[in-house]
């Protein structure tokens, strides 16, 4: 017995160290809540944790007491009395847990109700489409489509409709709301509210293919004023560049050789009307690219355009765009630089 404990003690201790890495205010900590949904979920976790602790301690104390009290005494040859069944005890340990569970079920059911009931008059409705491997955000009634960076106004109730036409994904913003699965061809919904202005991490939480771990997003909780300014900016048509380098990138983007417009939408352009890939109308205004995994800068953007499969294996662009599939259409280094300049000019 003691040998076994000795053997596993280092593993148990190292587990404690690993747990300590997270911290209660880590970037994706579910304990550092910034909205009513995450708060409700964290409160429920603590309630069940402490209720479970009471049971654990009571049972362990009883076991220790019984070990000591009824242990075999030194030199004793007495055989303990043999019994079978004890109606009183059995009724007690059936009824007590039942009462305990009934009490715990009250806050649990109330939380399920609160989280599962969408707001009757949401301030903003966002249709979220899960793709392999990025999120599309379509602001219903506001005529805005963007990707991977969700802006919401602080303190407002947001209804999120979840759609997928491919595989299962799951929408998760640890500090604002727990996971809700996106069920293909069926849809799902959740509601969220951000109580503090700031940037929050989100990610797909259901295995959806080889780049599942790279399917992330950000939620930016804006003041009311900033949110309205952001929406009106996103509604505007795309910038058409004058700068020679940006302009040459624009020409490559719109050319049939590169064919970018077959998959990407640039609002106001007649040639870029694709809906398979992210809407790039205001790509340059996003802080991050490639579904929240890279900072949006020239170096990362050029690397992405050169070889997206190196950064996000299995993405559709690498597998379908002619510039990656047809060696005769490969982009030259100067074309890559021009494209990156154009895309970042799309503020
Ligand atoms: Cu989408 Cu995992």
């Amino acid at each position: 017995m003691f040998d076994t404990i000795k053997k596993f003690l280092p593993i148990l201790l190292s587990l404690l160290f690993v747990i300590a890495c997270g911290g209660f205010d880590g970037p994706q900590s579910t304990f550092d809540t910034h909205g009513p949904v995450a708060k409700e979920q964290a409160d429920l976790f603590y309630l069940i944790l402490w209720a479970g602790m009471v049971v654990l301690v009571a049972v362990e104390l009883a076991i220790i007491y019984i070990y000591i009290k009824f242990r075999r005494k030194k030199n004793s040859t007495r055989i303990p009395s043999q019994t079978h069944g004890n109606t009183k005890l059995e009724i007690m340990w059936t009824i007590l847990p039942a009462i305990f569970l009934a009490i715990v079920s009250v806050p649990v059911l109330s939380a399920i109700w609160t989280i599962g009931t969408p707001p009757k008059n949401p301030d903003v409705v966002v249709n979220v489409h899960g793709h392999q491997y990025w999120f599309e955000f379509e602001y219903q009634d506001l005529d805005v489509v963007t990707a991977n960076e969700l802006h919401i106004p602080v303190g407002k109730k947001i209804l999120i409709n979840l759609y997928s036409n491919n595989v299962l994904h799951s929408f998760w913003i640890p500090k604002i709301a727990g996971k809700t699965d996106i069920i293909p061809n069926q849809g799902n919904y959740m509601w969220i509210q951000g109580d503090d202005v700031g940037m929050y991490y989100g990610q797909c939480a259901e295995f959806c293919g080889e780049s599942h771990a790279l399917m992330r997003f950000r939620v930016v909780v804006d003041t009311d004023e900033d949110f309205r300014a952001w929406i009106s900016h996103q509604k505007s048509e795309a910038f058409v560049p004058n700068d020679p380098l940006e302009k040459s990138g624009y020409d490559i983007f719109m050319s049939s050789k590169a064919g970018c417009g077959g998959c990407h939408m640039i609002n106001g352009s007649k040639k870029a009307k694709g809906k398979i890939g992210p809407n790039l109308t205001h790509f340059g205004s996003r802080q991050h690219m490639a579904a929240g995994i890279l900072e949006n800068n020239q170096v990362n953007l050029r690397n992405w355009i050169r070889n997206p499969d190196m950064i996000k294996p299995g993405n559709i662009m690498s597998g379908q765009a002619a510039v990656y599939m047809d060696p005769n259409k490969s982009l030259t280094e100067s074309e890559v630089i021009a494209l990156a300049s154009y895309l970042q000019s799309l503020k």
Side-chain angles (χ1 to χ4, degrees):
M1 175 73 180
F2 283 111
D3 280 352
T4 324
I5 293 179
K6 255 193 226 156
K7 216 162 60 199
F8 286 103
L9 202 61
I11 298 176
L12 285 173
L13 284 177
S14 58
L15 266 180
L16 284 179
F17 278 117
V18 174
I19 293 165
C21 289
F24 276 71
D25 57 354
Q28 301 220 85
S29 170
T30 48
F31 299 113
D32 180 25
T33 65
H34 289 268
V37 176
K39 172 129 197 344
E40 185 87 37
Q41 289 161 338
D43 287 349
L44 203 55
F45 172 83
Y46 282 119
L47 178 83
I48 305 294
L49 175 77
W50 290 115
M53 283 297 272
V54 170
V55 174
L56 177 81
V57 169
V59 170
E60 293 306 314
L61 283 178
I63 289 174
I64 291 167
Y65 171 77
I66 291 164
Y67 271 161
I68 295 169
K69 169 103 176 151
F70 300 103
R71 75 188 186 282
R72 187 166 178 258
K73 310 275 178 339
K74 239 185 195 164
N75 304 323
S76 160
T77 52
R78 199 171 72 90
I79 305 281
S81 68
Q82 306 293 308
T83 59
H84 177 78
N86 184 325
T87 315
K88 253 192 215 160
L89 263 181
E90 283 164 24
I91 289 176
M92 192 191 81
W93 72 49
T94 306
I95 290 181
L96 270 186
I99 294 175
F100 195 77
L101 288 176
I103 294 171
V104 167
S105 74
V106 174
V108 172
L109 290 173
S110 134
I112 290 175
W113 192 261
T114 311
I115 295 164
T117 312
K120 276 212 179 71
N121 298 304
D123 297 285
V124 180
V125 181
V126 184
N127 298 325
V128 172
H129 301 267
H131 297 275
Q132 282 166 307
Y133 305 92
W134 59 282
F135 287 101
E136 181 175 5
F137 301 128
E138 178 191 2
Y139 288 73
Q140 198 172 294
D141 312 322
L142 291 173
D143 200 26
V144 166
V145 178
T146 184
N148 305 321
E149 257 176 44
L150 178 71
H151 282 248
I152 57 170
V154 69
K156 296 285 169 63
K157 289 198 162 56
I158 319 293
L159 175 63
I160 304 274
N161 292 314
L162 298 161
Y163 301 104
S164 165
N165 63 5
N166 43 85
V167 296
L168 274 171
H169 302 275
S170 187
F171 198 67
W172 185 31
I173 316 151
K175 294 191 179 193
I176 292 180
K179 304 160 187 173
T180 304
D181 276 5
I182 310 182
I183 303 159
N185 303 321
Q186 182 184 315
N188 206 346
Y189 65 86
M190 67 193 291
W191 70 275
I192 61 171
Q193 179 180 320
D195 281 343
D196 304 292
V197 169
M199 196 276 293
Y200 302 91
Y201 290 91
Q203 72 174 69
C204 178
E206 175 71 51
F207 182 71
C208 53
E210 57 191 315
S211 281
H212 153 70
L214 303 174
M215 184 169 171
R216 302 181 209 160
F217 62 101
R218 314 276 164 134
V219 176
V220 181
V221 179
D222 285 324
T223 62
D224 233 14
E225 204 185 350
D226 286 350
F227 178 72
R228 261 179 278 148
W230 180 81
I231 285 287
S232 79
H233 179 69
Q234 295 292 313
K235 282 163 96 94
S236 63
E237 285 192 353
F239 171 73
V240 180
N242 295 315
D243 172 89
L245 183 63
E246 290 168 2
K247 177 73 174 65
S248 75
Y250 170 88
D251 292 337
I252 298 160
F253 190 96
M254 300 299 171
S255 71
S256 52
K257 181 209 163 199
C260 307
C263 292
H264 295 286
M265 174 86 74
I266 307 270
N267 293 2
S269 148
K270 289 199 176 78
K271 286 186 177 155
K273 292 195 159 306
K275 288 188 168 180
I276 297 170
N279 184 312
L280 298 176
T281 309
H282 296 287
F283 173 80
S285 73
R286 297 177 203 150
Q287 294 173 47
H288 299 87
M289 49 168 286
I293 59 173
L294 295 171
E295 209 178 298
N296 188 358
N297 62 35
Q298 277 297 310
V299 175
N300 289 336
L301 189 50
R302 287 176 194 172
N303 284 336
W304 172 262
I305 297 169
R306 270 183 211 117
N307 191 350
D309 211 52
M310 280 286 283
I311 294 169
K312 191 180 283 187
N315 73 85
I316 292 177
M317 188 154 108
S318 317
Q320 290 189 4
V323 291
Y324 306 112
M325 301 303 287
D326 180 351
N328 296 322
K329 292 189 170 179
S330 294
L331 296 167
T332 64
E333 190 56 24
S334 60
E335 286 174 326
V336 168
I337 292 170
L339 272 172
S341 303
Y342 166 57
L343 287 173
Q344 276 207 318
S345 76
L346 294 170
K347 295 286 183 197

